[in-house]
Amino acid sequence: MTLPRLVSTVFGIGHLKPAPGTWGSAVAIAVGVAIDQLFGFPALVIATLLVIPLGYWATTRTVAEAENKDPSEIVIDEVAGQWIALLCPAAEFWWRGTEDWWLVAYPGWVAAFVFFRLFDIWKPGPAGRADAKGTAAGTMEDDLWAGLFAGVATILAAGVAHGVLMR
């Protein structure tokens, strides 16, 4: 297995069936929460900023000769998008100084996961346009949009759940 394929499949996670994208997202949530808890929110930001260009590189190299530019085994895009979504609840708890938030505030990371999967499957607006490109870049971009939408939805859901937006 080449290095780009190893990275793009997240060390083979993309070969898990059924629903490799969901497997990739689940692993991304677990690793993202672990990064946040072990090294802090700034480390999660750095990891997210590093995985995005790494994902573009690996995806481009993996599908260079392929007809299908978005094969289901490529899940590095799920990692990038899922971490963008996870940044939203992680930022809030970091701002408040809440430690071990993943235990006491599990709805935050659960919401980020559920909303990301919803937007990754639904692909509204710019996510759908990115996916329709049929390119390696589009493979990454649709999940980056889905992650952004999921992060905003997670913030809004938290606001509703905690009555902030209801006043």
Side-chain angles (χ1 to χ4, degrees), residues 11-108:
F11 302 97
I13 298 298
H15 294 290
L16 294 176
K17 303 289 183 212
T22 301
W23 284 107
S25 295
V27 168
I29 278 286
V31 172
V33 168
I35 290 169
D36 182 83
Q37 293 301 295
L38 294 172
F39 306 107
F41 173 73
L44 181 58
V45 171
I46 291 167
T48 303
L49 292 174
L50 290 174
V51 82
I52 293 169
L54 181 65
Y56 274 104
W57 171 81
T59 301
T60 300
R61 296 286 189 301
T62 299
V63 302
E65 302 297 320
E67 199 171 307
N68 179 5
K69 301 301 182 189
D70 192 5
S72 63
E73 68 267 14
I74 291 181
V75 294
I76 192 70
D77 52 333
E78 268 78 19
V79 173
Q82 188 65 77
W83 284 359
I84 289 171
L86 185 60
L87 285 174
C88 291
E92 174 63 23
F93 291 110
W94 177 70
W95 181 260
R96 291 177 177 215
T98 304
E99 295 183 25
D100 298 329
W101 63 268
W102 64 280
L103 286 173
V104 297
Y106 67 88

Side-chain angles (χ1 to χ4, degrees), residues 115 149-162 164-165:
F115 283 129
F149 295 155
V152 170
T154 300
I155 291 167
L156 292 174
V160 169
H162 298 287
V164 174
L165 298 177

Side-chain angles (χ1 to χ4, degrees), residues 87-144:
L87 285 174
C88 291
E92 174 63 23
F93 291 110
W94 177 70
W95 181 260
R96 291 177 177 215
T98 304
E99 295 183 25
D100 298 329
W101 63 268
W102 64 280
L103 286 173
V104 297
Y106 67 88
W109 62 264
V110 171
F113 175 79
V114 170
F115 283 129
F116 176 72
R117 292 309 301 145
L118 171 72
F119 288 115
D120 187 27
I121 293 165
W122 178 23
K123 299 188 188 320
R129 287 191 293 278
D131 184 60
K133 289 180 182 178
T135 64
T139 298
M140 284 295 297
E141 289 163 12
D142 79 305
D143 285 1
L144 299 178

